[in-house]
Amino acid sequence: ERVVAAGTSPSVNLFRKELRRRVREALGQMKAEDREVLVLRYLEQLAANEIAAIVGISEDAVNMRHLRALKRLRGLLREALGDV
């Protein structure tokens, strides 16, 4: 829900609903470690140092995992949205 804001027109709402579904599917295909970092960062809105304390890795490792997870998510979404 936080990834895609609400729209006003029915077509925009339909597109956003479909995009939310595809984001959820893409997240479901990711490794748990990648998904965890993205959830903590974007849904829980935690900083890298807070994520590091929770996950038990260094802040640098959190930043690297975050970047890699975003790249993987982007790739999965490109695959999923290629037919739109």
Side-chain angles (χ1 to χ4, degrees):
E1 295 295 322
R2 291 181 188 224
V3 175
V4 183
T8 54
S9 74
S11 62
V12 169
N13 284 336
L14 183 61
F15 175 77
R16 288 184 173 147
K17 182 178 179 180
E18 179 64 13
L19 183 57
R20 280 192 298 270
R21 183 186 70 78
R22 289 179 189 233
V23 168
R24 280 192 300 270
E25 284 179 4
L27 287 170
Q29 294 175 24
M30 297 177 74
K31 293 180 183 177
E33 302 88 38
D34 291 341
R35 191 171 42 251
E36 180 179 37
V37 168
L38 294 176
V39 166
L40 291 171
R41 176 65 187 104
Y42 295 104
L43 297 181
E44 299 296 327
Q45 298 182 348
L46 298 179
N49 63 329
E50 296 170 306
I51 297 169
I54 291 170
V55 177
I57 59 177
S58 71
E59 190 174 340
D60 287 339
V62 167
N63 290 328
M64 184 58 66
R65 189 176 289 177
H66 175 241
L67 283 174
R68 289 179 180 160
L70 284 177
K71 287 179 183 178
R72 288 183 187 113
L73 180 60
R74 188 178 303 125
L76 289 167
L77 289 173
R78 279 190 184 130
E79 288 175 21
L81 296 172
D83 62 335
V84 172

